[in-house]
Amino acid sequence: ALEGMQSKGEGRAEDAKRRGEEDAKKVAPVVDFVAGGFVAAVSKIAVYPMETRVLLIAVGESTAVDPRHLWHGVTLKGLENFLYNGLLWFLKEHVRPRAPDPAKPDQRPPATFLGAFAASCAAILLAHPLANTVVGMQASLGSLGPRRRRPAGALEA
């Protein structure tokens, strides 16, 4: 009887170990959100002054502004990119179908086109108000002069 109890205990330990390994292969949804958002925000912050200068050229404004002003709105732009890309990764993982073999959760098929499209639309709709605010802040750099000495803030844009 003691041997039977030991083998049951060992079987349970092996099952728990296997479940632990399967759980270790799963990525938590919050990790998808933070990882997707963080990488996008860092890359956007790195190119933000060049993007601002291109926007000013596109709207026909002078680009001879104080170089410090080219960073105007960078915090909101980083937040917008973090939100959009974080949501996109998070939602795309939620629309992916389950793995055909539950023992191999890392072999999930990709999301369908319709699922990925819906995830992208939801993410852009939620991040769009921030994008509009940032563009208004960037565009206000073109109207700096004697009458307007400082660019528009987030609430003014």
Side-chain angles (χ1 to χ4, degrees):
L2 184 59
E3 289 177 14
M5 289 176 63
Q6 284 178 339
S7 66
K8 284 183 182 179
E10 289 173 3
R12 288 183 188 149
E14 289 176 14
D15 287 344
K17 183 180 176 185
R18 189 171 47 250
R19 280 194 309 270
E21 289 172 359
E22 290 172 8
D23 288 344
K25 291 180 182 179
K26 294 180 184 176
V27 177
V30 71
V31 172
D32 285 328
F33 181 78
V34 172
F38 181 74
V39 170
V42 168
S43 64
K44 182 55 76 171
I45 288 168
V47 299
Y48 187 78
M50 293 175 278
E51 182 182 284
T52 302
R53 187 170 295 270
V54 168
L55 177 89
L56 290 172
I57 291 170
V59 296
E61 297 293 336
S62 169
T63 60
V65 297
D66 184 355
R68 292 175 297 157
H69 286 156
L70 294 177
W71 290 95
H72 183 66
V74 70
T75 304
L76 273 180
K77 189 63 171 183
L79 181 63
E80 178 230 333
N81 265 40
F82 181 89
L83 178 65
Y84 170 72
N85 285 290
L87 280 171
L88 187 61
W89 278 89
F90 176 79
L91 294 172
K92 281 188 353 185
E93 283 301 309
H94 278 283
V95 299
R96 282 179 66 188
R98 293 188 186 272
D101 183 4
K104 298 177 182 177
D106 56 332
Q107 295 181 354
R108 289 173 59 194
T112 63
F113 174 78
L114 190 57
F117 181 72
S120 181
C121 288
I124 197 71
L125 284 172
L126 292 170
H128 196 68
L130 283 174
N132 283 345
T133 303
V134 171
V135 169
M137 291 172 72
Q138 288 176 319
S140 73
L141 293 173
S143 62
L144 294 178
R147 291 177 44 193
R148 185 176 182 97
R149 295 186 186 255
R150 62 181 202 76
L155 295 177
E156 296 171 311

